[in-house]
Amino acid sequence: MHKPDVAAFYDARTGSIQYVVSDPATRKCAIVDPVLDFDEKSGSTATVNADAILDHVASRGLTVEWILDTHPHADHFSAARYLKARTGAPTAIGEHVVAVQQIWRQIYNWPDLACDGSQWDRLLRDGETFAIGELEARVMHSPGHTLASITYVVGDAAFIHDTLFMPDTGSARADFPGGSAANLWTSIQAILSLPDETRLFTGHDYRQGGREALWQSSVAQQKAGNPHVAGRSQLDFVDLREARDRTLPMPKLILHALQVNIRGGELPPAEDNGCRYLKIPLDAFPRSVWN
């Protein structure tokens, strides 16, 4: 099995991990789930995370072939649009993003939003393959956390984002609009059917118990040690996941981030005073937990 090089970039503000996956033979690479920095208190954006990725790419003589999202993120802005402008590389996401766009167009009362995925250069289907240098990347539709979530399998590496976290932490929530704990279980089982030695790269780590941030595990480690899946049935998992989700507050940036991320990371256009504005729907989730 081919073994790509994987570099991880941890964003402590959001607990997100971004990746550069590269082909050692050709020096071609893809960027996975890049973060555009956003401070909700001041409304400021920045490109510190994305520029660190660009510095890494330049220092190692890599050529960016793809900028990949696993799904429309609820806890950070996507830097896909910024990185496309800097590198010229095409952007891609799973084809079911159109269903997520349709859900959030209603929440934002946004009739002019194009819900056809045209904000990305390519919409990827389950089972579809594409090249990163001489490496083959395969798409696995992995719904549950969102309708549009996908996993990228590149050689012995799988980028699983909001499905499983590190084995000491469990699994991702499945209570967002369009989410499903039952579908998440099915997606997790598909990931765990990969070879035991497959390296799994998660999209978030919240430093369980105060430990250092971690993001790489294996299929074997997850099957043996993840408390949400090891020794559990689907019914057990769904009960556990739904009970846990009922206690969780909404991510603090979800209403900010989704209106950017369902447009491929494109910020709202500047108005006549030169400022950009986000639209926050009030009381759209009246039963959500407060913290």
Side-chain angles (χ1 to χ4, degrees):
M1 187 181 295
H2 293 291
K3 190 177 182 70
D5 291 334
V6 178
F9 301 81
Y10 182 69
D11 174 39
R13 286 172 62 91
T14 62
S16 303
I17 303 100
Q18 313 148 86
Y19 295 100
V20 175
V21 52
S22 59
D23 174 17
T26 64
R27 314 301 297 166
K28 302 292 180 63
C29 73
I31 298 170
V32 182
D33 289 325
V35 170
L36 182 70
D37 307 286
F38 174 68
D39 177 61
E40 73 279 9
K41 297 180 293 297
S42 65
S44 302
T45 62
T47 58
V48 175
N49 271 287
D51 289 338
I53 292 173
L54 291 174
D55 289 345
H56 170 84
V57 166
S59 68
R60 284 155 180 77
L62 302 176
T63 300
V64 181
E65 287 199 315
W66 291 99
I67 300 162
L68 306 173
D69 279 319
T70 54
H71 66 290
H73 307 279
D75 40 21
H76 64 82
F77 289 6
S78 170
R81 188 62 58 97
Y82 171 74
L83 288 171
K84 177 182 177 179
R86 292 292 305 274
T87 66
T91 58
I93 197 169
E95 65 175 347
H96 295 282
V97 70
V98 299
V100 177
Q101 289 177 319
Q102 290 163 3
I103 290 172
W104 285 88
R105 177 170 62 180
Q106 298 301 316
I107 293 171
Y108 288 119
N109 190 28
W110 198 351
D112 295 334
L113 175 68
C115 293
D116 57 4
S118 58
Q119 297 85 353
W120 289 265
D121 295 302
R122 184 163 168 181
L123 299 183
L124 299 165
R125 302 183 307 276
D126 182 47
E128 186 172 358
T129 62
F130 58 97
I132 302 172
E134 295 176 356
L135 298 174
E136 180 181 89
R138 177 168 60 90
V139 176
M140 295 172 60
H141 185 212
S142 302
H145 176 65
T146 76
L147 287 168
S149 299
I150 60 175
T151 294
Y152 295 102
V153 182
V154 187
D156 76 334
F159 299 88
I160 63 174
H161 213 274
D162 285 280
T163 52
L164 290 168
F165 298 139
M166 294 301 294
D168 64 353
T169 306
S171 61
R173 65 193 298 169
D175 60 328
F176 295 156
S180 163
N183 288 344
L184 181 60
W185 170 264
T186 301
S187 297
I188 289 170
Q189 296 311 303
I191 290 168
L192 296 183
S193 71
L194 295 169
D196 278 356
E197 64 273 18
T198 303
R199 295 179 289 162
L200 302 181
F201 294 95
T202 190
H204 288 290
D205 188 73
Y206 302 110
R207 303 179 64 225
Q208 181 81 357
R211 61 160 169 72
E212 292 300 310
L214 299 171
W215 44 80
Q216 179 180 333
S217 61
S218 69
V219 167
Q221 289 171 327
Q222 292 283 357
K223 289 194 293 189
N226 190 306
H228 288 193
V229 296
R232 291 192 181 274
S233 68
Q234 179 174 358
L235 181 60
D236 290 339
F237 174 83
V238 170
D239 286 347
L240 179 152
R241 186 68 265 165
E242 291 182 347
R244 170 68 174 152
D245 288 349
R246 285 192 290 270
T247 71
L248 298 177
M250 298 290 279
K252 65 180 180 177
L253 297 184
I254 184 171
L255 296 178
H256 307 73
L258 261 296
Q259 61 195 284
V260 172
N261 294 340
I262 58 174
R263 299 175 68 229
E266 182 178 358
L267 295 171
E271 298 189 9
D272 56 10
N273 63 353
C275 291
R276 305 172 187 269
Y277 293 86
L278 296 172
K279 182 178 182 180
I280 303 298
L282 299 181
D283 298 319
F285 299 95
R287 292 181 296 276
S288 63
V289 176
W290 290 27
N291 66 352

